[in-house]
């Protein structure tokens, strides 16, 4: 096994051990309403209560990107995020995409590769209203470990900071703002560059169990190979048949030529 994979594996074991000890100690604390981070482009400001564990998985995620006559289809299966409440307003996060398939068609030639993705480690600290009610604000620093391989993995480590803000406009309408700045990995997998984005969204409670969210996202990437700006629009539905279970579907459409044409996904989130 390559040295960087052994190091990443050791870090994951230590990270998971540190997370599950407090989770087990407080596993009976279920007083806070469940607040999954999926679906959608933005990030909620709420955090998991101490000892609560959320497993959030994309059952399938397909993205189509057509550029200058070329076509790229990307499929992610089982892309999962683990969120664990450590204190009243701090949660730890672990994310990994175990399977990704990329199919590229250029003219008459077609290339298909299957890879795993990189691992993401993060912490979210809520600064106001950790249950997400009223005005809620959080900061979420994260790092990515180069466990996967291109084109699913980035090829080097990266880091970033997400700042989510949510505000209840009424009992059924919620405004969300998510800002992010990254030390993103260069396209050639060597070194890092500045990338930043912003999401504006509105969530509508259609019923006690069903929520519709519409969003717009602007992404600026200053890669040395060429800077790009993407404009994306998203609509997603989340259905919570039980207080600890959510099912979701969503679609993302590219609004300019640099953005992928379309993304469709479905997922599940479960609190333990």
């Amino acid at each position: 096994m390559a040295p960087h994979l052994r190091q990443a594996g050791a870090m994951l074991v230590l990270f998971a051990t540190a997370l599950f000890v407090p989770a087990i100690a407080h596993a009976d604390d279920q007083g806070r309403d469940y607040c999954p981070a999926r679906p959608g482009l933005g990030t909620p400001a709420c955090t998991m209560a101490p000892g609560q564990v959320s497993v959030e998985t994309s059952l399938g995620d397909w993205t189509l990107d057509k550029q200058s006559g070329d076509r790229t289809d990307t499929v992610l299966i089982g892309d999962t995020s683990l969120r664990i409440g450590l204190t009243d307003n701090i949660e730890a996060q672990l994310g990994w995409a175990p399977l990704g398939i990329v199919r590229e068609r250029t003219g008459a030639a077609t290339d298909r590769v299957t890879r795993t993705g990189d691992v993401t480690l993060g912490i979210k600290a809520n600064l106001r209203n950790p249950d997400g009610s009223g005005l809620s604000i959080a900061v979420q620093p994260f790092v990515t470990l180069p466990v996967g391989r291109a084109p699913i993995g980035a090829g080097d480590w990266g880091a970033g900071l997400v700042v989510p803000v949510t505000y209840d406009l009424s009992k059924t309408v919620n405004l969300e703002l998510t800002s992010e700045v990254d030390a993103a990995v260069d396209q050639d997998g060597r070194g890092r560059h500045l990338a930043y984005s912003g999401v504006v969204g509105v969530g509508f409670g259609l019923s006690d169990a069903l929520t519709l969210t519409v969003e717009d996202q602007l992404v600026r990437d200053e890669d040395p190979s060429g800077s790009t700006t993407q404009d994306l629009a998203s609509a997603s539905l989340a259905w919570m048949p039980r207080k600890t279970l959510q099912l979701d579907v969503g679609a993302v459409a590219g609004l300019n030529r640099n953005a992928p044409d379309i993304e469709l996904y479905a997922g599940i989130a479960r609190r333990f």
Side-chain angles (χ1 to χ4, degrees), residues 216-227:
D216 185 81
Q217 181 182 41
L218 287 176
V219 182
R220 180 66 177 177
D221 192 299
E222 303 286 352
D223 193 276
S225 64
S227 300

Side-chain angles (χ1 to χ4, degrees), residues 150 154 184-191 193 223-226:
V185 179
D186 294 349
Q187 188 174 14
D188 62 5
R190 301 175 182 177
H193 62 274
D223 193 276
S225 64

Side-chain angles (χ1 to χ4, degrees), residues 57-230:
T57 300
S58 175
L59 301 176
D61 187 315
W62 168 67
T63 300
L64 170 65
D65 188 12
K66 293 181 179 179
Q67 300 286 345
S68 302
D70 299 337
R71 171 176 175 146
T72 301
D73 293 86
T74 303
V75 176
L76 300 178
I77 299 174
D79 189 3
T80 299
S81 175
L82 179 69
R83 302 166 58 210
I84 301 177
L86 302 181
T87 70
D88 188 57
N89 63 341
I90 296 177
E91 70 177 32
Q93 301 175 341
L94 170 64
W96 184 48
L99 178 62
I101 302 168
V102 177
R103 181 177 180 272
E104 296 181 332
R105 188 178 67 189
T106 303
T110 299
D111 186 37
R112 183 179 182 274
V113 295
T114 301
R115 298 284 188 267
T116 60
D118 295 332
V119 167
T120 300
L121 303 178
I123 293 287
K124 184 196 287 186
N126 184 278
L127 307 178
R128 180 185 174 96
N129 293 333
D131 63 352
S133 63
L135 175 63
S136 186
I137 305 170
V139 291
Q140 181 180 315
F142 67 89
V143 297
T144 57
L145 306 179
V147 175
R149 295 173 56 193
I152 302 299
D156 202 349
W157 68 267
L161 175 67
V162 181
V163 181
V165 178
T166 57
Y167 179 66
D168 290 329
L169 297 175
S170 70
K171 291 183 178 180
T172 59
V173 181
N174 177 267
L175 175 67
E176 65 170 46
L177 304 170
T178 303
S179 302
E180 180 173 347
V181 59
D182 299 333
V185 179
D186 294 349
Q187 188 174 14
D188 62 5
R190 301 175 182 177
R192 278 149 294 281
H193 62 274
L194 175 66
Y196 49 93
S197 66
V199 179
V200 178
V202 182
F204 301 93
L206 304 181
S207 70
D208 290 341
L210 188 64
T211 301
L212 167 68
T213 302
V214 293
E215 300 165 298
D216 185 81
Q217 181 182 41
L218 287 176
V219 182
R220 180 66 177 177
D221 192 299
E222 303 286 352
D223 193 276
S225 64
S227 300
T228 60
T229 299
Q230 295 185 4

